[in-house]
PDB file of all heavy atoms in Angstrom:
ATOM      1  N   GLY A1323     148.779  38.260 -37.154  1.00  0.00           N
ATOM      2  CA  GLY A1323     147.651  37.339 -37.186  1.00  0.00           C
ATOM      3  C   GLY A1323     147.648  36.481 -35.981  1.00  0.00           C
ATOM      4  O   GLY A1323     148.700  36.184 -35.402  1.00  0.00           O
ATOM      5  N   TYR A1324     146.463  36.014 -35.575  1.00  0.00           N
ATOM      6  CA  TYR A1324     146.355  35.230 -34.361  1.00  0.00           C
ATOM      7  C   TYR A1324     147.159  33.948 -34.428  1.00  0.00           C
ATOM      8  O   TYR A1324     147.888  33.600 -33.495  1.00  0.00           O
ATOM      9  CB  TYR A1324     144.874  34.883 -34.086  1.00  0.00           C
ATOM     10  CG  TYR A1324     144.641  33.978 -32.928  1.00  0.00           C
ATOM     11  CD1 TYR A1324     144.675  34.440 -31.600  1.00  0.00           C
ATOM     12  CD2 TYR A1324     144.391  32.609 -33.151  1.00  0.00           C
ATOM     13  CE1 TYR A1324     144.485  33.589 -30.542  1.00  0.00           C
ATOM     14  CE2 TYR A1324     144.193  31.733 -32.079  1.00  0.00           C
ATOM     15  CZ  TYR A1324     144.242  32.228 -30.790  1.00  0.00           C
ATOM     16  OH  TYR A1324     144.032  31.383 -29.730  1.00  0.00           O
ATOM     17  N   HIS A1325     147.021  33.187 -35.505  1.00  0.00           N
ATOM     18  CA  HIS A1325     147.615  31.854 -35.584  1.00  0.00           C
ATOM     19  C   HIS A1325     149.141  31.950 -35.697  1.00  0.00           C
ATOM     20  O   HIS A1325     149.843  31.021 -35.224  1.00  0.00           O
ATOM     21  CB  HIS A1325     147.028  31.082 -36.737  1.00  0.00           C
ATOM     22  CG  HIS A1325     145.595  30.714 -36.534  1.00  0.00           C
ATOM     23  ND1 HIS A1325     145.187  29.833 -35.573  1.00  0.00           N
ATOM     24  CD2 HIS A1325     144.446  31.148 -37.159  1.00  0.00           C
ATOM     25  CE1 HIS A1325     143.857  29.728 -35.585  1.00  0.00           C
ATOM     26  NE2 HIS A1325     143.417  30.518 -36.538  1.00  0.00           N
ATOM     27  N   ALA A1326     149.691  33.005 -36.239  1.00  0.00           N
ATOM     28  CA  ALA A1326     151.134  33.133 -36.378  1.00  0.00           C
ATOM     29  C   ALA A1326     151.780  33.704 -35.141  1.00  0.00           C
ATOM     30  O   ALA A1326     153.046  33.725 -35.016  1.00  0.00           O
ATOM     31  CB  ALA A1326     151.492  33.992 -37.591  1.00  0.00           C
ATOM     32  N   THR A1327     150.967  34.165 -34.188  1.00  0.00           N
ATOM     33  CA  THR A1327     151.498  34.753 -32.944  1.00  0.00           C
ATOM     34  C   THR A1327     151.646  33.678 -31.881  1.00  0.00           C
ATOM     35  O   THR A1327     150.767  32.865 -31.678  1.00  0.00           O
ATOM     36  CB  THR A1327     150.558  35.862 -32.429  1.00  0.00           C
ATOM     37  OG1 THR A1327     150.500  36.905 -33.406  1.00  0.00           O
ATOM     38  CG2 THR A1327     151.058  36.428 -31.131  1.00  0.00           C
ATOM     39  N   THR A1328     152.753  33.670 -31.166  1.00  0.00           N
ATOM     40  CA  THR A1328     152.967  32.736 -30.054  1.00  0.00           C
ATOM     41  C   THR A1328     152.856  33.481 -28.719  1.00  0.00           C
ATOM     42  O   THR A1328     152.964  34.702 -28.660  1.00  0.00           O
ATOM     43  CB  THR A1328     154.366  32.083 -30.133  1.00  0.00           C
ATOM     44  OG1 THR A1328     155.364  33.097 -29.917  1.00  0.00           O
ATOM     45  CG2 THR A1328     154.577  31.441 -31.511  1.00  0.00           C
ATOM     46  N   THR A1329     152.666  32.717 -27.653  1.00  0.00           N
ATOM     47  CA  THR A1329     152.646  33.320 -26.346  1.00  0.00           C
ATOM     48  C   THR A1329     153.987  33.959 -26.031  1.00  0.00           C
ATOM     49  O   THR A1329     154.051  34.954 -25.301  1.00  0.00           O
ATOM     50  CB  THR A1329     152.261  32.293 -25.264  1.00  0.00           C
ATOM     51  OG1 THR A1329     153.141  31.180 -25.345  1.00  0.00           O
ATOM     52  CG2 THR A1329     150.828  31.838 -25.440  1.00  0.00           C
ATOM     53  N   ARG A1330     155.065  33.407 -26.540  1.00  0.00           N
ATOM     54  CA  ARG A1330     156.371  33.991 -26.376  1.00  0.00           C
ATOM     55  C   ARG A1330     156.458  35.385 -26.994  1.00  0.00           C
ATOM     56  O   ARG A1330     157.058  36.311 -26.449  1.00  0.00           O
ATOM     57  CB  ARG A1330     157.460  33.077 -26.906  1.00  0.00           C
ATOM     58  CG  ARG A1330     158.900  33.545 -26.668  1.00  0.00           C
ATOM     59  CD  ARG A1330     159.925  32.535 -27.179  1.00  0.00           C
ATOM     60  NE  ARG A1330     159.878  31.333 -26.355  1.00  0.00           N
ATOM     61  CZ  ARG A1330     160.499  31.160 -25.211  1.00  0.00           C
ATOM     62  NH1 ARG A1330     161.254  32.141 -24.712  1.00  0.00           N
ATOM     63  NH2 ARG A1330     160.380  30.024 -24.534  1.00  0.00           N
ATOM     64  N   ASP A1331     155.850  35.510 -28.225  1.00  0.00           N
ATOM     65  CA  ASP A1331     155.825  36.809 -28.882  1.00  0.00           C
ATOM     66  C   ASP A1331     155.132  37.851 -28.013  1.00  0.00           C
ATOM     67  O   ASP A1331     155.594  38.975 -27.821  1.00  0.00           O
ATOM     68  CB  ASP A1331     155.047  36.693 -30.215  1.00  0.00           C
ATOM     69  CG  ASP A1331     155.722  35.849 -31.258  1.00  0.00           C
ATOM     70  OD1 ASP A1331     156.974  35.755 -31.206  1.00  0.00           O
ATOM     71  OD2 ASP A1331     155.021  35.289 -32.114  1.00  0.00           O
ATOM     72  N   ILE A1332     153.996  37.454 -27.446  1.00  0.00           N
ATOM     73  CA  ILE A1332     153.188  38.385 -26.640  1.00  0.00           C
ATOM     74  C   ILE A1332     153.948  38.784 -25.395  1.00  0.00           C
ATOM     75  O   ILE A1332     154.067  39.974 -25.068  1.00  0.00           O
ATOM     76  CB  ILE A1332     151.849  37.714 -26.286  1.00  0.00           C
ATOM     77  CG1 ILE A1332     151.031  37.483 -27.549  1.00  0.00           C
ATOM     78  CG2 ILE A1332     151.075  38.610 -25.316  1.00  0.00           C
ATOM     79  CD1 ILE A1332     149.805  36.593 -27.348  1.00  0.00           C
ATOM     80  N   ALA A1333     154.478  37.800 -24.689  1.00  0.00           N
ATOM     81  CA  ALA A1333     155.241  38.092 -23.474  1.00  0.00           C
ATOM     82  C   ALA A1333     156.420  39.011 -23.728  1.00  0.00           C
ATOM     83  O   ALA A1333     156.713  39.945 -22.984  1.00  0.00           O
ATOM     84  CB  ALA A1333     155.696  36.788 -22.794  1.00  0.00           C
ATOM     85  N   GLY A1334     157.124  38.735 -24.853  1.00  0.00           N
ATOM     86  CA  GLY A1334     158.301  39.542 -25.180  1.00  0.00           C
ATOM     87  C   GLY A1334     157.928  41.009 -25.450  1.00  0.00           C
ATOM     88  O   GLY A1334     158.624  41.906 -25.029  1.00  0.00           O
ATOM     89  N   ARG A1335     156.828  41.205 -26.143  1.00  0.00           N
ATOM     90  CA  ARG A1335     156.374  42.571 -26.419  1.00  0.00           C
ATOM     91  C   ARG A1335     155.977  43.291 -25.112  1.00  0.00           C
ATOM     92  O   ARG A1335     156.118  44.529 -25.055  1.00  0.00           O
ATOM     93  CB  ARG A1335     155.170  42.545 -27.349  1.00  0.00           C
ATOM     94  CG  ARG A1335     155.519  42.217 -28.806  1.00  0.00           C
ATOM     95  CD  ARG A1335     154.229  42.027 -29.620  1.00  0.00           C
ATOM     96  NE  ARG A1335     154.531  41.635 -30.981  1.00  0.00           N
ATOM     97  CZ  ARG A1335     154.488  42.407 -32.040  1.00  0.00           C
ATOM     98  NH1 ARG A1335     154.155  43.700 -31.900  1.00  0.00           N
ATOM     99  NH2 ARG A1335     154.721  41.968 -33.270  1.00  0.00           N
ATOM    100  N   ALA A1336     155.521  42.548 -24.145  1.00  0.00           N
ATOM    101  CA  ALA A1336     155.103  43.140 -22.879  1.00  0.00           C
ATOM    102  C   ALA A1336     156.311  43.276 -21.931  1.00  0.00           C
ATOM    103  O   ALA A1336     156.141  43.790 -20.797  1.00  0.00           O
ATOM    104  CB  ALA A1336     154.052  42.298 -22.217  1.00  0.00           C
TER     105      ALA A1336
END
Side-chain angles (χ1 to χ4, degrees):
Y1324 174 79
H1325 292 294
T1327 298
T1328 66
T1329 54
R1330 183 175 294 276
D1331 294 332
I1332 296 168
R1335 286 172 184 258

